[in-house]
Amino acid sequence: MWQRLRLALALTQQATLVLALAGLAIAWTNAADAQTRTADQYYPALHALTRAELDQINTTDPLTDLRVELAYLRSLINSDISAATERLPALESRIDAEFYPSESVYLHSIKAELLIRSGKLDEASAIIDEHRAALAAVDEPSVRVVFMLAEGLLLVRYGQQDRAIALYRRARFIAQSAGDSALTAIARHNEGVAQIQLGLTVVALENLTYVANNIDLIPNDMRLEETVRFNLAYLQLQSGEYQAALSNLQAVDRAAWIELGHETRAFIVTTQLARAYSSLARHNDAVTELEPWLQRADVNPGPDLMNDARTVLAEAYLALGDYEAAERYIRQARAQIEASDAVGKRAEFDVLEASLARARGDLSGARDKLAETIARLSQGDPSKGYLDALHLQADVYNELGDYAAAYAAQRSALQVERVLRTADFDRRMSVAIVTSEKETSQRELDMLRAGERLAQTRSERDRIFDIALIGIGILLVLIAYLIWLQWHREHAARTRLEKTVAERTEQVRQELERRVDAERAKRLLEHRLVEDEKYRAVARLTGGLAHDFNNLMTVVSCSAELIKLGAEESDIDALAEDILDAADSGTRVTRSLIAYARQQALQPEQLQLDEFLIDNEALIRNTLGESIELTLDLAPARVEIDRASLTTALLNVLF
């Protein structure tokens, strides 16, 4: 019962979350629709044009002219940073924030993005913080999206990909609702890149596949095709297709990117190229390719990307056996992590430090470091760093000879790997990120003008209410079905258990009956053994008495014979004859007793049965006792039998 209640409560909470997200998405769509109907339609159309097409637009309207220039500048930052940096000051002098608040926010968003791509993160952060308040007064959805793209890029460079993903997702919803297809594709592309860096490969692949399938929505002079190729190579690295990733990375024109001012992009490509070399055990190539880039003064990719490069170099040097170089890069990364907010790589470098200690033979140090790291990582969601730490811990315990601990670590690693392999794990992570940001999303939506949505509020509210009712009905049916399914499973399990118990009970009953029968047979056998022992004791006693009595009868017989031989009178002779007859009868009795005692060999002879019974009448009467009257009614009968055995049989019958 309690299990069903807990299941119903959990399902209800999930249903509430789904409905909240659905309502939030509908509200975003409706708000963006209302905004699109009232705002200027130029930006979505301008963002879809190439720079050549923008140059052909002739207008006398200052506002339209500024928007064309901003769209042109927006196109440049993805393909030619140097040209964008040169055009920025002139355009900045023409835009007055008081008269053109939206265009001012747009311009400073581009300026911040240029600074970020040049590695000047602090300056870019100051610009974004300064103009975040002005964003509340901006009407155009596309301007808001441009600002979000710049802020998301800053968050990515600071290693806060989870916040960037939520921001990019809101940006693409707003851009899609405003009909700005180019910004929608760019937002999805940036979201996919952030998801790749966070390890959310499934949803990242969805976003990048969308961009690849809709690449024609983005002007071809923005050179986004090469970026998509690079991201595909990154995903191939994550999935273990190292040779294919290496081919794609080698095909990226880094020299062209450097010429256009995209040194950071070239640095990222070089880092991943070195990672591909290292994954293919070409560690020397990885070091040769990447290490010179860390010495370049014109490259400042930010702490997170720099630590990526240090990770690759540390792993390569560790594989090459150059522990000093590996330790140097690990120390540099650790110092960078402690000095900034870029803590996303901390677990990775903890594992690297433990690997270094293990390589140097310090197994105890590696064990302690891994124990500390795993204890910290176990408090959060499963991650690849957590999995790597568990695998390394199992290897260290195995080398220390603690096989039980090694088995436990390997078992934990398998459980984490099973969670990481589930196809919907990435989706749950993304939903969790969106849920954690929904209050911020609501504040963003509240900034849109309420008056511009008022015309459709009632109809949209009714539609949302109907959708919510349908959703609640479906979820209630689903909950009821799951509860019934749970009950059915429990009922089936209970039925199987009752059947099993009945079968076991019958087996126990049959076993008890068998044991009772065996015990009864055992007791009967014991009783028979006791009786047999009793008869044997009686037989032994009888045999002993019979021998003694037979000896006496021998003396009596011998004496009677002597008397008879020396007697002269007939009376004495008759007495001697009586004594002999009595002795002979006693001898026969003793022989019978000896035969009963099984102490005489069988001697079959011809016997007259009636005469035998008459001769043993006295023995029969004594055996039966005075309480039984004996009458002999005999007919002649002749048998061949051992006399003693016949006597024994007769006594047994009488007994």
Side-chain angles (χ1 to χ4, degrees):
M1 180 64 183
W2 286 109
Q3 292 180 351
R4 289 197 290 270
L5 288 176
R6 286 196 295 269
L7 176 62
L9 180 59
L11 291 174
T12 303
Q13 292 174 347
Q14 294 178 4
T16 303
L17 176 61
V18 171
L19 288 175
L21 291 175
L24 185 60
I26 293 172
W28 281 342
T29 303
N30 295 334
D33 287 342
Q35 186 73 8
T36 302
R37 283 190 297 272
T38 58
D40 195 298
Q41 294 292 316
Y42 270 112
Y43 279 122
L46 293 174
H47 289 153
L49 300 177
T50 64
R51 288 192 291 275
E53 292 169 338
L54 289 170
D55 282 335
Q56 294 176 1
I57 297 177
N58 296 318
T59 178
T60 58
D61 180 31
L63 179 59
T64 303
D65 184 65
L66 285 178
R67 289 177 173 175
V68 171
E69 289 292 326
L70 288 171
Y72 192 97
L73 188 62
R74 170 71 200 169
S75 178
L76 280 174
I77 65 173
N78 287 283
S79 58
D80 194 344
I81 290 181
S82 300
T85 304
E86 291 175 1
R87 294 176 69 98
L88 180 66
L91 189 57
E92 190 173 8
S93 64
R94 293 173 53 190
I95 296 177
D96 189 341
E98 184 178 354
F99 295 102
Y100 304 108
S102 296
E103 285 63 39
S104 177
V105 171
Y106 193 120
L107 176 67
H108 285 91
S109 299
I110 295 177
K111 182 178 180 179
E113 190 166 345
L114 285 171
L115 291 171
I116 294 169
R117 294 183 185 278
S118 300
K120 301 175 182 179
L121 304 184
D122 293 339
E123 295 181 33
S125 178
I127 291 175
I128 289 176
D129 291 340
E130 179 184 351
H131 290 82
R132 184 177 286 109
L135 189 66
V138 172
D139 297 332
E140 292 83 358
S142 295
V143 176
R144 302 176 65 82
V145 173
V146 171
F147 183 89
M148 290 179 178
L149 293 177
E151 186 177 8
L153 183 60
L154 180 65
L155 291 173
V156 168
R157 293 299 170 84
Y158 275 131
Q160 301 177 28
Q161 283 83 358
D162 52 343
R163 293 179 57 194
I165 290 171
L167 195 63
Y168 285 139
R169 181 159 295 192
R170 294 202 306 273
R172 70 179 171 94
F173 277 134
I174 295 174
Q176 185 176 4
S177 301
D180 199 329
S181 301
L183 287 188
T184 300
I186 293 173
R188 292 200 69 163
H189 172 268
N190 292 0
E191 181 184 352
V193 173
Q195 287 165 338
I196 289 175
Q197 294 174 355
L198 200 59
L200 306 177
T201 55
V202 174
V203 287
L205 186 60
E206 289 179 0
N207 282 319
L208 293 177
T209 302
Y210 171 87
V211 176
N213 293 336
N214 297 275
I215 198 69
D216 57 330
L217 298 177
I218 304 172
N220 55 20
D221 55 2
M222 292 180 66
R223 302 180 63 87
L224 198 59
E225 298 91 335
E226 208 160 35
T227 303
V228 173
R229 178 193 291 271
F230 163 73
N231 291 326
L232 178 61
Y234 188 91
L235 285 176
Q236 289 169 336
L237 277 177
Q238 298 298 314
S239 60
E241 300 175 16
Y242 303 123
Q243 192 59 51
L246 182 62
S247 299
N248 278 324
L249 290 168
Q250 288 174 336
V252 175
D253 191 358
R254 287 178 288 168
W257 276 5
I258 295 172
E259 183 179 353
L260 295 173
H262 290 285
E263 289 85 2
T264 300
R265 289 189 182 182
F267 178 83
I268 295 173
V269 174
T270 304
T271 301
Q272 299 309 318
L273 184 61
R275 191 183 298 277
Y277 279 132
S278 187
S279 300
L280 293 169
R282 296 170 59 178
H283 305 295
N284 285 319
D285 292 339
V287 172
T288 304
E289 188 71 42
L290 182 58
E291 194 165 43
W293 282 78
L294 272 67
Q295 316 302 328
R296 294 181 58 161
D298 59 336
V299 176
N300 185 14
D304 195 56
L305 297 176
M306 185 64 75
N307 281 342
D308 272 342
R310 289 169 178 152
T311 302
V312 175
L313 287 173
E315 291 174 346
Y317 275 122
L318 194 60
L320 291 171
D322 190 347
Y323 303 141
E324 298 298 326
E327 185 178 15
R328 181 175 68 254
Y329 284 112
I330 292 174
R331 282 201 310 268
Q332 291 175 3
R334 181 68 68 187
Q336 182 68 61
I337 290 172
E338 299 298 335
S340 66
D341 294 332
V343 297
K345 296 291 183 181
R346 179 178 178 184
E348 188 172 358
F349 283 100
D350 286 342
V351 175
L352 275 175
E353 287 181 351
S355 299
L356 180 61
R358 176 194 176 195
R360 287 176 165 172
D362 184 10
L363 295 178
S364 298
R367 178 195 59 198
D368 297 340
K369 184 66 178 179
L370 287 169
E372 175 187 353
T373 302
I374 290 172
R376 184 180 72 254
L377 294 177
S378 63
Q379 305 302 318
D381 292 322
S383 63
K384 186 177 183 302
Y386 187 24
L387 180 62
D388 293 339
L390 287 171
H391 280 308
L392 183 58
Q393 186 185 51
D395 293 338
V396 171
Y397 276 131
N398 190 50
E399 292 177 11
L400 285 170
D402 191 349
Y403 302 115
Y407 172 77
Q410 193 64 39
R411 188 173 182 180
S412 300
L414 289 175
Q415 293 173 352
V416 172
E417 190 172 11
R418 191 178 300 116
V419 173
L420 292 176
R421 283 181 177 176
T422 55
D424 60 338
F425 178 74
D426 294 342
R427 299 180 185 276
R428 294 201 306 270
M429 287 287 292
S430 295
V431 171
I433 293 169
V434 174
T435 303
S436 67
E437 294 288 335
K438 68 179 181 180
E439 293 183 0
T440 306
S441 303
Q442 189 61 48
R443 287 196 298 271
E444 291 284 340
L445 294 173
D446 290 341
M447 293 178 184
L448 299 174
R449 290 183 174 180
E452 296 172 350
R453 302 180 307 184
L454 188 59
Q456 289 193 345
T457 300
R458 294 178 182 177
S459 61
E460 292 299 329
R461 182 181 58 194
D462 294 339
R463 186 164 66 90
I464 293 172
F465 182 75
D466 293 340
I467 294 174
L469 285 179
I470 294 173
I472 291 173
I474 293 174
L475 288 172
L476 289 177
V477 171
L478 179 61
I479 291 171
Y481 171 76
L482 291 175
I483 293 176
W484 174 85
L485 184 62
Q486 182 69 17
W487 173 85
H488 178 71
R489 289 176 178 173
E490 292 179 357
H491 178 71
R494 188 164 53 250
T495 302
R496 289 195 299 270
L497 179 61
E498 290 174 355
K499 182 178 179 181
T500 303
V501 170
E503 292 174 353
R504 293 299 303 274
T505 302
E506 179 63 20
Q507 293 175 359
V508 171
R509 186 188 66 77
Q510 293 176 359
E511 179 66 17
L512 288 176
E513 288 181 355
R514 186 186 65 78
R515 292 186 180 183
V516 168
D517 292 340
E519 186 67 21
R520 187 181 293 115
K522 179 182 177 182
R523 290 181 180 178
L524 180 61
L525 179 60
E526 290 175 352
H527 177 72
R528 289 179 178 177
L529 289 174
V530 169
E531 291 295 321
D532 187 68
E533 188 66 23
K534 185 189 298 183
Y535 286 135
R536 289 181 183 179
V538 172
R540 286 194 297 272
L541 177 62
T542 303
L545 293 175
H547 278 292
D548 294 339
F549 190 76
N550 187 54
N551 293 335
L552 294 176
M553 288 298 101
T554 301
V555 174
V556 172
S557 297
C558 292
S559 299
E561 288 289 343
L562 293 175
I563 293 173
K564 186 177 180 179
L565 291 174
E568 295 178 356
E569 297 181 2
S570 59
D571 292 338
I572 294 175
D573 182 71
L575 290 174
E577 188 66 30
D578 291 337
I579 291 172
L580 286 172
D581 291 337
D584 184 65
S585 177
T587 300
R588 288 197 299 273
V589 171
T590 56
R591 287 177 180 173
S592 298
L593 291 175
I594 291 171
Y596 176 73
R598 301 288 195 274
Q599 295 183 2
Q600 182 172 320
L602 295 177
Q603 296 178 357
E605 60 179 299
Q606 295 290 330
L607 281 181
Q608 196 67 29
L609 189 58
D610 51 338
E611 294 177 359
F612 172 83
L613 293 175
I614 292 173
D615 293 338
N616 289 281
E617 181 178 359
L619 177 63
I620 295 172
R621 290 186 181 280
N622 292 333
T623 301
L624 293 175
E626 296 180 356
S627 61
I628 296 176
E629 181 180 354
L630 176 65
T631 302
L632 296 178
D633 184 9
L634 305 172
R638 190 173 185 84
V639 295
E640 183 177 3
I641 196 171
D642 178 81
R643 182 183 297 274
S645 297
L646 179 60
T647 303
T648 301
L650 178 62
L651 290 176
N652 285 336
V653 171
L654 295 177
F655 286 151

